[in-house]
Amino acid sequence: MVVDDEALVRSGFELILNASDGIQVVATAAGAQAADVIRREHPDVVLLDIRMPDVDGLTVLREIQTLPEPPTVAMLTTFDTDEYILTALRSGAAGFLLKDTEPEQLAQLVRTLAAGGVVMSPKASRTLLRSHPGAGAPQDADVARVNLLSDRERDVLVLIADGLSNADIGTHIHLSAGTVKDHVSSILTKLRVSSRVQAALLAERAGLLSDDGADAARSNGR
């Protein structure tokens, strides 16, 4: 489902996604109608505009999160430094898409979301954190919990931050999807976070996504 206040954006995303194998846009809506339509249509993935004049995306996101089985939500934005993105990610969004995403990439990003992956490039997350110094307090206690992770869990955390689904992580580091699922559950518990995106942001703050740290972690799967 696509939620945006601009009809042209809604129709453009709908056209692109409906032309992609295995994806069906079950509905589109402006912000004010979004929650009601989601309750009726039960989409697996919602692309939600973060800035809308009638009701902002954060309000819609919070309402969606109260549903018994909320869909996976990614925020739509024009800028990778949108001041509301960090708030949205901490509120349960599974990532964000720029509205100028290339059409051929859009379907793959939606598939990643549907498979439980994170849609948020490390470059974009670093840009966000640099533009919001001090974001995510209390930092010291949160970052210290990263030290509770095993080496393999750190490898998995870096790949989570890369946006990989459990199946893709398993392929990359030669583990079964079930074993990866167990690692992900352990990571979320040890870091005391409730979503993969929150874990990815914490990995960034702990320095695991620096060029040297990330390359070292990824090489462990080769």
Side-chain angles (χ1 to χ4, degrees), residues 86 90 129 132-140 142-143 145 201-202 205:
L86 280 175
R90 295 195 192 101
L129 291 168
H132 295 75
Q139 293 188 12
D140 292 345
D142 287 349
V143 171
R145 285 196 286 272
L201 289 173
L202 190 51
R205 286 166 48 199

Side-chain angles (χ1 to χ4, degrees), residues 3-222:
V3 180
D4 195 287
D5 63 298
E6 297 184 28
L8 184 61
V9 173
R10 296 196 302 268
S11 61
F13 273 61
E14 183 177 21
L15 181 65
I16 292 168
L17 291 172
N18 276 338
S20 304
D21 292 339
I23 298 177
Q24 178 187 4
V25 178
V26 296
T28 66
Q33 298 81 36
D36 288 339
V37 177
I38 289 168
R39 290 187 184 95
R40 184 176 71 245
E41 299 294 342
H42 304 290
D44 297 310
V45 175
V46 174
L47 305 183
L48 174 61
D49 189 8
I50 203 167
R51 293 175 180 263
M52 295 179 287
D54 54 351
V55 55
D56 69 87
L58 295 178
T59 299
V60 176
L61 174 63
R62 293 186 185 105
E63 189 169 0
I64 292 172
Q65 295 298 87
T66 66
L67 297 176
E69 297 183 6
T72 298
V73 180
M75 310 307 292
L76 293 173
T77 181
T78 307
F79 307 104
D80 62 1
T81 55
D82 193 305
E83 62 185 290
Y84 297 130
I85 287 176
L86 280 175
T87 301
L89 296 178
R90 295 195 192 101
S91 297
F96 67 93
L97 298 175
L98 299 181
K99 289 188 181 181
D100 61 357
T101 297
E102 293 294 329
E104 59 268 22
Q105 296 178 345
L106 182 60
Q108 183 55 48
L109 294 174
V110 168
R111 292 189 184 99
T112 297
L113 289 165
V118 173
V119 175
M120 181 181 64
S121 73
K123 176 183 177 183
S125 65
R126 286 194 288 270
T127 300
L128 285 169
L129 291 168
R130 282 198 301 267
S131 66
H132 295 75
Q139 293 188 12
D140 292 345
D142 287 349
V143 171
R145 285 196 286 272
V146 173
N147 294 326
L148 299 174
L149 303 181
S150 67
D151 289 343
R152 178 56 86 190
E153 287 169 345
R154 288 186 180 219
D155 295 342
V156 172
L157 179 56
V158 168
L159 297 174
I160 288 174
D162 275 351
L164 273 64
S165 67
N166 287 355
D168 290 336
I169 292 173
T171 299
H172 188 89
I173 56 178
H174 313 296
L175 295 175
S176 70
T179 299
V180 173
K181 182 179 179 180
D182 290 341
H183 281 314
V184 172
S185 178
S186 177
I187 289 167
L188 297 183
T189 299
K190 289 180 179 180
L191 297 183
R192 299 182 189 175
V193 296
S194 59
S195 75
R196 298 164 77 97
V197 169
Q198 291 169 347
L201 289 173
L202 190 51
E204 170 63 38
R205 286 166 48 199
L208 296 186
L209 305 188
S210 64
D211 291 340
D212 290 342
D215 287 346
R218 295 184 193 108
S219 68
N220 290 335
R222 297 189 185 122

